[in-house]
């Protein structure tokens, strides 16, 4: 899709310089490269590598949404970094082949940590993983999480005192377990640290990061490539616009799965 995006960017540049005869006259001395630079300025920071952490039972869209968005950045290698190599299974049963593990990766410009449920909480106790995240963070330009991936990132201490968001269900645990300021936002950023709300919000956060790096026009081109213009068939999707009985029902469902696991895990 990067080749397609390049064509889109080039086409926008050509169309913009043909808007009127006056603009033609004013810009006829400009080269195509100059027009591209005018429309799409040099990125704020050079990004070469984006690593998305995978582990068993992560939420598939937490990782795949940002993967698609970041893959539209020119000159950037986007890849998965597994807690282990080989096939990694999502919480929905999809299997993804991961050719690199945290033992293989020593540097990333962008690190993204997706969420899940029980296994995500278990990672907050994984000293090897937490030390790896802190090592990557020393040289990263963006350190990010989606959904309950914020639990893992917060467990490193890197988010101490910062505004953090997560899946609506995951916010209570953030408040109770970690030294962060939990906020009700679609996504947050405190310097290079970015967090997003649940699942689909990772796409919004990733687009915001692309905008931070490449500006408005580039981000609009990426959104057009994805045809990202959400129009859900019914109002809902947050605790603010969903019937209380539905929210409480889902809260109980999550509690029945996670709370016994937390109790058992914290005993060890």
């Amino acid at each position: 899709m990067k080749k397609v995006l390049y064509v889109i960017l080039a086409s926008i540049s050509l169309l913009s310089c043909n808007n009127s005869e006056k603009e033609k006259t004013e810009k006829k001395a400009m080269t195509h490269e100059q027009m591209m630079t005018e429309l799409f300025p040099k990125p704020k920071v050079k990004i070469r590598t984006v690593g998305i952490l995978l582990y068993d039972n992560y939420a598939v869209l937490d990782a795949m949404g940002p993967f698609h968005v970041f893959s539209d950045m020119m000159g950037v290698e986007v890849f998965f970094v597994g807690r282990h190599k080989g096939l990694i299974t999502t919480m929905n049963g999809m299997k993804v082949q991961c050719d690199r593990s945290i033992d293989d990766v020593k540097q990333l410009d962008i690190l993204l940590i997706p969420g899940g449920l029980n296994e995500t909480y278990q990672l907050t106790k994984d000293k090897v993983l937490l030390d790896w995240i802190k090592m990557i963070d020393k040289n990263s330009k963006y350190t990010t999480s989606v959904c309950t991936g914020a639990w893992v990132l917060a467990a490193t201490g890197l988010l101490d005192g910062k505004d953090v968001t997560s899946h609506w269900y995951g916010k209570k645990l953030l408040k109770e377990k970690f030294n962060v300021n939990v906020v009700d936002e679609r996504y947050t950023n405190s310097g290079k640290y970015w967090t997003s709300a649940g699942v689909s919000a990772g796409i919004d956060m990733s687009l915001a990061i692309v905008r931070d790096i490449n500006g408005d026009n580039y981000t609009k081109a990426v959104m057009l490539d994805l045809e990202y213009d959400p129009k859900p068939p019914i109002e809902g999707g947050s605790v603010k616009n969903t019937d209380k009985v539905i929210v409480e029902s889902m809260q109980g469902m999550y509690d029945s799965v996670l709370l016994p696991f937390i109790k058992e895990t914290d005993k060890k």
Side-chain angles (χ1 to χ4, degrees):
M1 296 304 288
K2 289 184 182 180
K3 290 182 180 179
V4 173
L5 186 59
Y6 179 80
V7 172
I8 292 172
L9 299 179
S11 299
I12 292 171
S13 175
L14 290 173
L15 287 171
S16 68
C17 70
N18 286 316
N19 283 337
S20 68
E21 289 300 319
K22 182 179 178 181
E23 288 180 354
K24 276 186 182 181
T25 302
E26 290 174 348
K27 294 188 175 182
K28 68 179 180 180
M30 295 176 65
T31 66
H32 175 65
E33 288 75 16
Q34 288 171 326
M35 285 183 279
M36 286 289 285
T37 299
E38 183 178 284
L39 276 171
F40 305 101
K42 183 179 179 181
K44 184 176 84 172
V45 61
K46 180 65 177 176
I47 302 295
R48 294 184 176 84
T49 55
V50 177
I52 298 174
L53 179 70
L54 296 189
Y55 54 91
D56 289 322
N57 288 326
Y58 71 92
V60 60
L61 190 60
D62 283 14
M64 299 307 169
F67 180 88
H68 197 142
V69 172
F70 290 134
S71 292
D72 268 346
M73 289 199 297
M74 301 294 179
V76 177
E77 181 187 11
V78 186
F79 55 88
F80 298 123
V81 183
R83 185 59 187 88
H84 60 81
K85 287 184 182 180
L87 287 176
I88 295 179
T89 305
T90 74
M91 64 166 53
N92 305 107
M94 186 176 82
K95 297 184 184 299
V96 177
Q97 176 65 32
C98 195
D99 296 324
R100 301 184 224 191
S101 75
I102 62 173
D103 295 328
D104 304 317
V105 178
K106 307 301 180 185
Q107 190 278 331
L108 292 168
D109 292 322
I110 298 177
L111 168 64
L112 184 137
I113 304 168
L117 198 59
N118 289 8
E119 288 76 12
T120 312
Y121 182 74
Q122 192 166 29
L123 291 181
T124 68
K125 312 289 187 179
D126 186 336
K127 186 176 184 303
V128 172
L129 177 64
L130 300 181
D131 285 346
W132 177 80
I133 293 170
K134 287 187 280 188
M135 178 194 72
I136 293 296
D137 180 71
K138 287 180 181 178
N139 296 302
S140 69
K141 297 178 175 70
Y142 296 84
T143 300
T144 74
S145 66
V146 176
C147 193
T148 55
W151 296 345
V152 182
L153 187 52
T156 66
L158 294 170
L159 298 181
D160 283 2
K162 295 178 171 61
D163 288 349
V164 178
T165 192
S166 181
H167 189 279
W168 63 269
Y169 177 78
K171 290 174 182 175
K172 184 173 183 289
L173 189 67
L174 274 176
K175 290 177 182 177
E176 293 174 349
K177 297 282 187 179
F178 305 106
N179 182 31
V180 299
N181 179 33
V182 179
V183 297
D184 293 326
E185 299 290 347
R186 186 71 170 166
Y187 56 85
T188 68
N189 79 288
S190 298
K192 74 172 184 175
Y193 300 102
W194 294 65
T195 64
S196 89
V199 194
S200 65
I203 296 175
D204 291 3
M205 181 191 74
S206 300
L207 287 167
I209 293 172
V210 170
R211 183 187 185 198
D212 190 56
I213 296 167
N214 291 298
D216 288 357
N217 287 338
Y218 198 103
T219 306
K220 288 178 181 179
V222 172
M223 291 172 66
L224 183 59
D225 183 39
L226 274 65
E227 198 162 354
Y228 185 68
D229 184 23
K231 290 180 175 62
I234 192 170
E235 184 180 54
S238 81
V239 294
K240 296 177 181 177
N241 60 14
T242 303
D243 293 343
K244 186 178 179 181
V245 65
I246 296 174
V247 174
E248 290 177 348
S249 176
M250 292 196 68
Q251 175 91 35
M253 178 189 69
Y254 285 129
D255 282 348
S256 69
V257 174
L258 182 65
L259 296 186
F261 182 81
I262 289 176
K263 185 176 181 180
E264 188 63 30
T265 301
D266 288 352
K267 283 181 182 178
K268 297 177 182 178

